[in-house]
């Protein structure tokens, strides 16, 4: 169990190689491998108190108050009671600890939920149900369809032929397309025989635990033979079993050693930019405090030696004070206690309350509530709210975050006619009731396409016939009559489903046949060959024999590729189709061209013979096959094109456009393929045709990547590439912002990003920061975190990461702010996040409204708080020169106690919780208002110095005006009012009136609560003062309330009220003058914008989610986004169960 961050269960030596035996617990226990229990929480019941206190005392102010407490326990220097410090300090520590405990308990519950999932383990020859956390390295476990993979496993055997297993890896890399894993033949032959599996004693030697998701090296030794192991035989934790009834696996890595957990990153203690600045400012204040106390201590020594020494008869020294110097030493510590109010503990209590209130506002915001899933926004961490107003970089996942991970057959063009309408409010969807095998979830809104199908348009029929034949989809009948498609990609599934609804139902397949139901009639096509797609070919074809014995080749692929292979007769149709494709591209749709040709029997027989020879060639097999593909896939007849929408979440393009106006840079970090990521970049308007250049880094090694980065940087800066030379600094530096002429984009994949992060991180970062948009694709979860750490290290910018899957956890933890979207990929991202909601579009409201307000309010609060406390404290300092530097307080002790606790706490809290310079509608309409937070304009070191100057000036006014007005002054009846108690009362009343006027001046948005708290606090002050200074209180507690009658004797004099009025006006007058002159003579861009908003009488219109249309000549084909297909697997028959081969429709179709 981890103790203070140290995992005591692990071996001290770093594991270099893993060795394990199946079903041999004693052998595996020698290596002390961790079990399958995971832990993402930071604390346990024993470590919570020490670790949490250690974290809290990293806040310098907390350590300072602890030091003050120790001082107050020393009688010789104590000038205030010890409980005045210990009570608020304990309150702050307890509140923070409880909040941290609740946050960590939620993580603990999440861990428990995962750890207590159940799985079947093979033990003592029998399958037993056990919890995940009890699974150990060397166990053989059984999993069933749709279950999460328990640990990192070596696949042994499965229900599918040849030990094949289908998995979905969305939790790991964001991709929802199916992937195939295959067991070794020697283990797959064991099948579902538990006795054979129980007697399996293979020994595995493999690499040590690491975070590389795409690589695995190892060997299996079984019955004296060695078998190589690679990633194709490994099932990783976090994957989901699909289309596979059952499988068995041998646990290789468990728990924290699994690749998923290795990529998750550590839970970091997050502190805001304001917190870090506060630590610096508190150090400044300490230094200032030491100077003041030193001055007063020296003054005391001088006064005692020149005056006090001769007045010992009246003012005797303590017995333990031998001389004036020692008296000065004691007075130094006494003044440290008295002047500690420059950093009061109530400051931190108030900050926590403000952050808590801001967190509640986020949860209460009905405009961030998603009714479809009954999901409100949630602030899971309450200490980071103001940092939401300072974000400069957003790092977003793609799948499930920007997109819904749903593919929709949106439009198509067939034989020169475009089908598919924009969805309007009154648009009636097409009725597919004529087709009993239609998918009820499929929707289409152009009735003319269905009419063309029904009247038998031959081109339309051929179009859908192609879609139902040319694919690698696997059908599955989960319930009688209910067809389910398992597609290698969501695109392919959408196309086959569209064909199904329009009357061309893909029913079943064998290695040699494909069975369709065409307009109610069952038709069997002989499958002769699949010409599979890959990222080079960018197309796929099938060759089939129709029932009438005619041979056809059907091809679909990227339009640029297919158009090159068309016959001359298709030229006119090609021109029309190109126009339609451009329109589809403008809608951000993913396009695909469809073509076919009839084959000559003799030619095909010859071609097939040559194809068989090439397939078995030992040398240049790929090149020979490629030539044969090129030969037969030409002179095609164009049918048309499809347009599939990779459906974005509502409002994503608008949100990105709005955030860009707020000077926020958005980077996409995704595990998806490059083309898919780029497609979404265009669909979201992150990339567009107006950009001057989009740099796609395609180097094959480190040096080529370096050259391409330098070339891109030189183009953007308009510099000579040879002049660019960047040395990696020994110490971290801060890279300044650079502006370039125009907008640029950068695309880089994970393999090349690895080079950039290792050898040339500065070059990569400088080039990336010149671009408006950066897309990193095929990146691992750990690389996502590394990119964020790079930006944090060299840009010193506030970062936000947003994602929805377990593959996003590491970047969510690495960023200053982590946002989880409660999407389709589980709750792991949400549980690791600081804030969560259901839709990406809510991010703009979170930042531009809640984040901006939180930052604005926190800055207003800090400026006012420091001002009022400096004004309060410095009056003590000036008074020291008039009281023999004796550490006597200038105010009544009850006023000192209640000043921050009662008199000034509620007004500043009201301002900090309700104030707003503009309302939420204006904040959304003018994103430029967000920029001051990014540059720390509202509260920084300069603003702090101004607060000190204002406080010092006010303290001079608040001390010397009452002092001068009371000097030798008398009451109306001739009695003096120049006594200490009257002066203390008048000085503290002047102070309170002045700071109350100041907060009234600072308040931009008045509510009934503000009025009640501000003016009510003044009323409470006078009520408490008259009560405490009354005869009754003195008679009951004579030692506690010595100021008997002071209030009624002093405050009934007109010149006292004149003094109070004059002092208050003199305190606020300079601020009024400075603010007026600065806004009139040197207005900032924000001042001008706010002035413009104030002049506009009506509110801006509410934001509506509309579809953005973008002009684009760029088209994308879904084939780009895929790995090599399942074509060879299908034609080999390895993935066919006997049940599938003999599949019959549930209903007899004629």
């Amino acid at each position: 169990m981890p103790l203070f961050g140290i995992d005591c269960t692990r071996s001290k030596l770093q594991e270099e190689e893993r060795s394990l035996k199946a079903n041999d617990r004693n052998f595996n226990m020698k290596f002390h491998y961790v079990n399958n229990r995971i832990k993402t929480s930071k604390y346990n019941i024993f470590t919570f108190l020490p670790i949490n206190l250690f974290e809290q005392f990293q806040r310098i102010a907390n350590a300072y108050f602890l030091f003050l407490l120790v001082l107050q326990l020393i009688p010789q220097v104590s000038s205030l009671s010890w409980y005045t410090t210990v009570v608020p300090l304990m309150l702050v520590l307890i509140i923070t600890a409880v909040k941290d405990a609740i946050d960590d308990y939620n993580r603990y519950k999440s861990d428990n939920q995962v750890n207590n999932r159940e799985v079947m383990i093979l033990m003592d020859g029998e399958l037993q149900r056990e919890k995940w956390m009890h699974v150990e390295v060397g166990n053989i476990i059984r999993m069933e369809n749709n279950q999460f993979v328990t640990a990192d496993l070596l696949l042994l055997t499965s229900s599918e032929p040849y030990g094949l297993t289908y998995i979905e890896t969305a939790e790991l890399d964001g991709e929802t397309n199916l992937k195939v894993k295959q067991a070794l033949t020697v283990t797959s032959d064991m099948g579902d025989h538990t006795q054979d599996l129980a007697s399996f004693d293979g020994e595995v030697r493999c690499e040590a635990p690491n975070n590389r998701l795409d690589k695995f090296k190892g060997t299996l030794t079984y019955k004296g033979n060695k078998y190589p192991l690679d990633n194709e035989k490994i099932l990783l934790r976090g994957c989901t079993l699909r289309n596979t009834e059952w499988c068995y696996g041998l646990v290789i890595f468990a728990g924290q050693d699994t690749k998923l957990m290795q990529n998750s990153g550590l839970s970091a203690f997050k502190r805001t930019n304001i917190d870090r600045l506060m630590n610096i400012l508190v150090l400044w204040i300490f230094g200032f405090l030491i100077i003041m106390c030193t001055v007063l201590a020296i003054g005391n020594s001088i006064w005692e030696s020149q005056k006090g020494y001769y007045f010992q008869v009246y003012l005797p020294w303590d017995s333990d004070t031998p001389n004036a110097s020692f008296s000065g030493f004691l007075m130094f510590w006494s003044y440290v206690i008295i002047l500690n109010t420059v950093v009061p503990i109530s400051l931190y209590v108030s900050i926590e309350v403000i952050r808590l209130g801001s967190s509640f506002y986020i949860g209460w915001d009905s405009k961030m509530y998603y009714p479809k899933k009954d999901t409100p926004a949630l602030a899971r961490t309450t200490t980071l709210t103001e940092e939401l107003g300072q974000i400069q970089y957003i790092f977003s996942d793609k799948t499930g975050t920007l997109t819904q991970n749903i593919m929709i057959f949106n439009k198509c063009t067939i034989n020169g006619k475009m089908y598919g309408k924009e969805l309007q409010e009154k648009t009636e969807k097409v009725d597919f009731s004529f087709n009993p095998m239609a998918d009820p979830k499929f929707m289409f809104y152009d009735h003319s396409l269905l009419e063309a199908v029904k009247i038998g348009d031959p081109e339309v029929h051929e179009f859908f016939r192609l879609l139902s034949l040319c694919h690698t989809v696997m059908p599955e009948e989960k319930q009688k009559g209910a067809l389910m498609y398992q597609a290698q990609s969501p695109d392919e599934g959408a196309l086959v489903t569209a064909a199904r609804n329009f009357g061309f139902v893909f029913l079943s397949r064998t290695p040699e046949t494909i069975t369709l139901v065409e307009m109610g009639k069952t038709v069997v096509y002989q499958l002769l060959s699949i010409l599979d797609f890959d990222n080079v070919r960018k197309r796929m074809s099938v060759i089939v024999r129709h029932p009438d014995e005619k041979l056809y080749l059907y091809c679909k692929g990227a339009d640029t590729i297919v158009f090159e292979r068309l016959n001359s007769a298709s030229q006119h149709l090609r021109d029309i189709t190109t126009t339609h494709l451009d329109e589809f591209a403008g809608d951000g749709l993913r396009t695909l061209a469809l073509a076919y040709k009839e084959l000559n029997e003799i030619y095909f027989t010859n071609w097939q013979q040559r194809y068989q020879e090439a397939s078995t060639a030992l040398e240049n097999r790929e090149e020979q096959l490629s030539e044969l593909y090129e030969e037969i896939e030409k002179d095609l007849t164009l049918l048309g094109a499809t347009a599939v929408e990779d459906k974005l979440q509502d409002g994503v393009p608008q949100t990105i456009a709005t955030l860009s106006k707020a000077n926020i840079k958005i980077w996409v970090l995704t595990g998806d393929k490059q083309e898919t990521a780029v497609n979404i970049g265009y669909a979201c308007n992150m990339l567009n045709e107006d950009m001057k250049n989009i740099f796609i880094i395609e180097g094959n090694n480190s040096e080529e990547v370096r050259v391409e980065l330098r070339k891109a940087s030189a183009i953007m800066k308009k510099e000579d590439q040879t002049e660019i030379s960047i040395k990696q600094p020994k110490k971290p530096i801060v890279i300044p912002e650079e502006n370039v002429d125009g907008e640029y984009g950068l695309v880089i994949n994970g393999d090349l990003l690895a080079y950039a992060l290792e050898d040339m991180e500065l070059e990569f970062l400088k080039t990336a920061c010149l671009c408006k948009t950066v897309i990193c694709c095929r990146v691992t979860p750990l690389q996502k975190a590394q990119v964020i750490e790079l930006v944090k290290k060299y840009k010193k910018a506030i970062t936000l990461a947003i994602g929805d899957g377990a593959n996003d956890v590491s970047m969510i933890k690495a960023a200053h702010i982590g946002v989880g979207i409660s999407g389709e990929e589980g709750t792991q991202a949400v549980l690791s996040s600081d804030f969560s909601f259901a839709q990406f579009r809510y991010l703009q409201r979170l930042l531009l409204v809640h984040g901006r307000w939180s930052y604005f309010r926190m800055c207003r609060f800090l400026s006012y708080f420091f001002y009022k406390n400096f004004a309060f404290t410095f009056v003590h300092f000036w008074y020291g020169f008039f009281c023999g530097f004796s550490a006597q307080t200038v105010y009544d002790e009850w006023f000192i106690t209640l000043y921050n606790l009662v008199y000034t706490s509620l007004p500043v809290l009201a301002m900090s919780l309700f104030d707003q310079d503009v309302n939420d509608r204006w904040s959304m309409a003018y994103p430029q208002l967000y920029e001051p937070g990014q540059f720390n304009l509202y509260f920084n070191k300069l603003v702090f110095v101004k607060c000190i100057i204002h406080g010092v000036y006010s303290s001079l006014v608040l001390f010397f005006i009452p002092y001068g007005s009371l000097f030798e002054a008398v009451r109306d009846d001739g009695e003096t009012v120049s006594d200490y108690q009257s002066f203390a009362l008048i000085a503290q009343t002047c102070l309170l009136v002045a700071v109350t006027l100041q907060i009234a001046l600072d308040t931009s948005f008045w509510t009934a609560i503000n009025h009640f708290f501000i003016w009510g606090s003044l009323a409470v002050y006078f009520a408490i003062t008259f009560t405490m200074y009354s005869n009754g209180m003195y008679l009951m507690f004579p030692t506690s309330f010595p100021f008997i009658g002071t209030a009624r004797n002093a405050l009934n004099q007109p010149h006292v009220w004149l003094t109070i009025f004059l002092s208050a006006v003199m305190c606020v007058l300079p601020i009024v003058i400075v603010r007026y002159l600065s806004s009139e003579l040197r207005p900032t861009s924000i001042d001008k914008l706010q002035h413009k908003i104030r002049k506009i009488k009506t509110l801006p219109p509410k934001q509506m989610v509309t579809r953005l249309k973008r002009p684009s000549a760029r088209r994308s084909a879904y084939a780009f986004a895929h790995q090599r297909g399942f074509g060879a697997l299908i034609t080999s028959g390895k993935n066919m169960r006997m049940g599938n081969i003999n599949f019959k429709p549930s209903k007899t179709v004629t």
Side-chain angles (χ1 to χ4, degrees), residues 962-971 974-979 1055-1056:
Y963 179 81
S965 68
L966 293 182
F967 189 72
E968 296 183 353
V970 293
R971 289 164 39 88
E975 294 291 331
T976 181
V977 290
S978 58
D979 59 284
H1055 78 274
V1056 170

Side-chain angles (χ1 to χ4, degrees), residues 347-402:
L347 170 66
Y348 290 95
V349 177
S350 301
I351 285 175
E352 294 301 325
V353 171
I354 293 165
R355 287 172 172 168
L356 188 64
S358 299
S359 301
F360 282 137
Y361 287 155
I362 292 170
W364 292 338
D365 191 344
S366 61
K367 294 178 182 176
M368 294 172 66
Y369 170 74
Y370 191 54
K372 288 184 180 178
K373 291 188 177 180
D374 189 26
T375 306
L378 182 65
R380 298 177 54 81
T381 302
T382 57
T383 56
L384 304 172
T385 50
E386 74 271 10
E387 198 143 78
L388 289 170
Q390 297 182 277
I391 302 300
Q392 291 169 269
Y393 285 85
I394 291 175
F395 299 90
S396 176
D397 178 41
K398 181 195 75 72
T399 307
T401 303
L402 300 177

Side-chain angles (χ1 to χ4, degrees), residues 854-1110:
S854 295
Y855 172 73
F856 170 77
R857 291 165 178 168
M858 183 63 73
C859 294
R860 283 287 181 93
F861 164 78
L862 290 173
S863 299
Y864 173 75
F865 208 98
F866 280 121
Y867 157 71
K868 77 180 181 69
N869 279 84
F870 271 104
F872 171 85
T873 305
F874 264 90
V875 175
H876 279 299
F877 181 76
W878 308 128
Y879 183 63
F881 291 89
F882 293 86
C883 68
F885 307 97
S886 60
Q888 183 182 11
T889 57
V890 69
Y891 312 116
D892 172 23
E893 281 199 8
W894 281 105
F895 179 79
I896 294 173
T897 304
L898 298 175
Y899 177 71
N900 282 310
L901 190 64
V902 176
Y903 300 147
T904 60
S905 61
L906 293 180
V908 73
L909 279 178
M911 180 185 73
S912 306
L913 290 173
F914 302 108
D915 202 25
Q916 48 184 265
D917 52 349
V918 296
N919 65 26
D920 58 336
R921 296 266 287 275
W922 287 118
S923 294
M924 299 280 277
Y926 289 94
Q928 299 88 342
L929 291 168
Y930 188 80
E931 290 186 23
Q934 297 171 323
F935 302 105
N936 291 315
L937 297 184
Y938 289 157
F939 189 78
N940 50 45
K941 293 172 185 176
L942 179 60
V943 173
F944 175 71
V945 170
K946 290 178 180 178
C947 292
I948 293 179
I949 293 171
H950 185 202
V952 171
Y953 162 77
S954 296
S955 69
L956 286 166
V957 170
L958 294 169
F959 179 80
F960 286 104
I961 288 183
Y963 179 81
S965 68
L966 293 182
F967 189 72
E968 296 183 353
V970 293
R971 289 164 39 88
D972 294 340
D973 56 6
E975 294 291 331
T976 181
V977 290
S978 58
D979 59 284
Y980 161 72
Q981 292 188 346
S982 297
F983 174 75
L985 172 67
I986 294 169
Q988 66 196 36
T989 305
C990 290
L991 169 68
L992 197 64
V993 172
V995 298
T996 302
L997 284 179
Q998 182 63 47
I999 197 168
L1001 195 64
D1002 287 345
T1003 301
S1004 304
F1005 182 72
W1006 285 89
T1007 65
I1009 296 174
N1010 291 84
H1011 281 291
F1012 179 75
F1013 281 173
I1014 289 174
W1015 312 123
S1017 291
L1018 263 183
V1020 167
Y1021 164 72
F1022 285 111
I1024 290 176
T1025 299
F1026 278 101
T1027 301
M1028 289 197 304
Y1029 296 174
S1030 65
N1031 295 351
M1033 294 298 290
Y1034 176 77
L1035 292 173
M1036 287 187 289
F1037 310 101
T1039 57
S1040 299
F1041 300 98
F1043 281 47
I1044 179 174
T1046 305
R1048 65 174 181 268
N1049 290 331
L1051 295 178
N1052 64 359
Q1053 299 300 305
H1055 78 274
V1056 170
W1057 287 104
L1058 181 61
T1059 300
I1060 294 170
F1061 174 76
L1062 182 62
S1063 300
V1065 169
M1066 288 295 290
C1067 285
V1068 300
L1069 188 60
I1071 297 300
V1072 174
I1073 294 171
V1074 169
R1075 288 182 183 176
Y1076 174 77
L1077 291 177
S1078 63
S1079 64
E1080 290 295 322
L1081 302 179
R1082 297 181 62 184
T1084 64
S1085 58
I1086 302 302
D1087 291 333
K1088 293 175 183 176
L1089 193 56
Q1090 289 177 336
H1091 179 70
K1092 177 183 175 182
I1093 289 171
R1094 281 192 290 268
K1095 287 177 68 176
I1096 301 173
K1097 301 294 183 183
T1098 57
L1099 286 172
K1102 290 184 178 180
Q1103 282 197 330
M1104 303 297 290
V1105 176
T1106 56
R1107 189 182 184 90
L1108 292 182
K1109 186 87 171 176
R1110 60 180 179 87

Side-chain angles (χ1 to χ4, degrees), residues 837-850:
F837 42 70
Q839 292 281 289
F840 181 84
R841 69 176 184 269
Y842 298 149
L843 182 61
Q844 63 177 322
R845 187 167 180 85
L846 181 72
L847 299 186
L848 302 185
V849 177
H850 292 285

Side-chain angles (χ1 to χ4, degrees), residues 461-520:
H461 277 216
E462 200 66 16
F463 179 90
F464 285 115
R465 185 175 292 115
L466 187 154
L467 291 181
S468 58
L469 289 171
C470 186
H471 57 79
T472 56
V473 172
M474 296 297 297
E476 185 178 7
E477 190 181 29
K478 289 191 173 182
Q479 297 175 356
K480 192 153 185 159
L483 262 180
M484 295 288 292
Y485 292 143
Q486 294 290 348
Q488 191 185 2
S489 83
D491 316 59
E492 201 160 55
L495 296 176
V496 176
T497 301
R500 168 184 176 178
N501 276 59
F502 281 100
F504 288 76
V505 183
F506 168 55
L507 193 62
S508 64
R509 77 180 329 137
T510 72
E512 295 85 21
T513 64
I514 297 176
T515 303
L516 306 183
V517 177
E518 296 182 357
M519 303 302 291

Side-chain angles (χ1 to χ4, degrees), residues 25 156 202 308 412 554 594 611 820 840 890 912 925 997 1011 1122:
R25 191 166 185 267
L156 297 178
C412 63
Y554 293 108
L594 311 185
Y611 175 78
F840 181 84
V890 69
S912 306
L997 284 179
H1011 281 291
H1122 285 265

Side-chain angles (χ1 to χ4, degrees), residues 20-25 27-28 137-140 156 197-204 220 250:
L20 61 105
K21 283 186 178 180
N23 297 313
D24 193 338
R25 191 166 185 267
F27 176 83
N28 298 326
V137 172
N139 286 154
I140 293 178
L156 297 178
L197 289 162
S199 61
F200 177 68
D201 60 353
E203 181 177 353
V204 174
L220 169 67
L250 170 66

